Amino acid sequence: AQSVTQPDIHITVSEGASLELRCNYSYGATPYLFWYVQSPGQGLQLLLKYFSGDTLVQGIKGFEAEFKRSQSSFNLRKPSVHWSDAAEYFCAVGGLVDTGRRALTFGSGTRLQVQP
Amino acid sequence: EPEVTQTPSHQVTQMGQEVILRCVPISNHLYFYWYRQILGQKVEFLVSFYNNEISEKSEIFDDQFSVERPDGSNFTLKIRSTKLEDSAMYFCASSEPRDSSTDTQYFGPGTRLTVL
């Protein structure tokens, strides 16, 4: 069964500092990987996704993530955090479409606080 | 930019009552999903729907739950007899895979269901 682990429940960074949110997955084949962000009272917004190809993917709002098969990781990064980035971040792994399994499996989330 | 919408944003109901949560997926999307997030817990997959039938469901999606696409635009989740443990945020999502191997799900803002 697929699973996603986000080891950090809560992270606090200063505005302007760099950010890395960790995500490890367990999956039997090449995974489809996603990062979503949830601001307070809002839904889940897609930040970026990895399906295949270049292992460094760029997303919206200046975020990027790197797929490392050897480490089963898909960490999210941003070089300089803005106060508006304070939110909860979810890593998710998707099933292979050709298996008929599209359900996303989510990690437990990392809550990001940004200090002025 | 097209988006998934959900109504109501918040629903309060008495235990044992039936509720219907409504979603309008992105108009050219073919696959529809419901997920839920109990407060403080992970986002969990409930069900996926394609071509007017359920294509995948989780263990959570028991006989108390049903889904329907009553017309060309709406997608509904019905809970027949609500229980206290059904209190959660319910997210609708939709996707339109451009080919058979990839799938990106776009989420609505959620409906917060409170069962008293």
Side-chain angles (χ1 to χ4, degrees):
Chain A
Q2 59 201 46
S3 67
V4 178
T5 302
Q6 292 180 248
D8 305 305
I9 297 171
H10 190 192
I11 283 183
T12 301
V13 300
S14 298
E15 191 168 16
S18 64
L19 172 71
E20 182 168 28
L21 302 182
R22 296 183 290 165
C23 171
N24 293 97
Y25 67 89
S26 172
Y27 194 70
T30 301
Y32 298 142
L33 294 158
F34 307 83
W35 275 99
Y36 287 87
V37 61
Q38 184 181 31
S39 298
Q42 303 295 311
L44 297 163
Q45 182 182 21
L46 179 69
L47 280 176
L48 47 77
K49 60 191 178 188
Y50 171 77
F51 286 152
S52 65
D54 193 346
T55 56
L56 184 64
V57 293
Q58 302 296 320
I60 62 171
K61 305 185 180 186
F63 285 93
E64 66 179 27
E66 186 171 13
F67 170 61
K68 291 186 178 179
R69 185 189 300 277
S70 62
Q71 298 176 18
S72 297
S73 69
F74 188 58
N75 294 348
L76 182 71
R77 300 194 295 246
K78 186 169 185 178
S80 178
V81 169
H82 187 262
W83 63 267
S84 60
D85 293 325
E88 186 135 26
Y89 292 80
F90 293 94
C91 182
V93 61
L96 292 173
V97 169
D98 58 6
T99 66
R101 296 193 64 247
R102 295 174 180 271
L104 292 177
T105 298
F106 283 84
S108 52
T110 297
R111 182 166 296 280
L112 174 66
Q113 273 193 314
V114 180
Q115 285 181 334
Chain B
E1 184 177 327
E3 57 183 23
V4 177
T5 59
Q6 291 185 242
T7 54
S9 56
H10 191 187
Q11 173 107 36
V12 181
T13 189
Q14 295 291 325
M15 191 169 54
Q17 295 297 303
E18 174 184 286
V19 295
I20 297 177
L21 309 183
R22 291 183 167 79
C23 168
V24 178
I26 295 173
S27 63
N28 63 337
H29 283 190
L30 303 175
Y31 291 84
F32 315 115
Y33 310 83
W34 284 101
Y35 291 78
R36 78 172 184 191
Q37 183 183 28
I38 295 172
L39 189 63
Q41 298 187 24
K42 292 184 181 186
V43 177
E44 303 171 289
F45 168 77
L46 293 178
V47 65
S48 63
F49 191 85
Y50 170 71
N51 202 24
N52 283 319
E53 60 183 31
I54 290 173
S55 54
E56 188 182 357
K57 62 181 181 178
S58 71
E59 302 168 342
I60 304 167
F61 194 86
D62 61 21
D63 292 344
Q64 290 286 81
F65 293 91
S66 63
V67 290
E68 192 179 26
R69 187 152 165 82
D71 53 45
S73 59
N74 290 282
F75 179 52
T76 62
L77 174 69
K78 182 193 293 185
I79 309 175
R80 255 178 276 285
S81 176
T82 50
K83 303 189 276 281
L84 295 176
E85 54 265 37
D86 293 326
S87 294
M89 181 74 90
Y90 288 81
F91 292 106
C92 175
S94 68
S95 68
E96 191 274 317
R98 293 177 183 271
D99 57 48
S100 63
S101 63
T102 62
D103 186 29
T104 300
Q105 296 176 29
Y106 295 90
F107 285 76
T111 292
R112 178 162 298 286
L113 176 65
T114 302
V115 182
L116 302 175

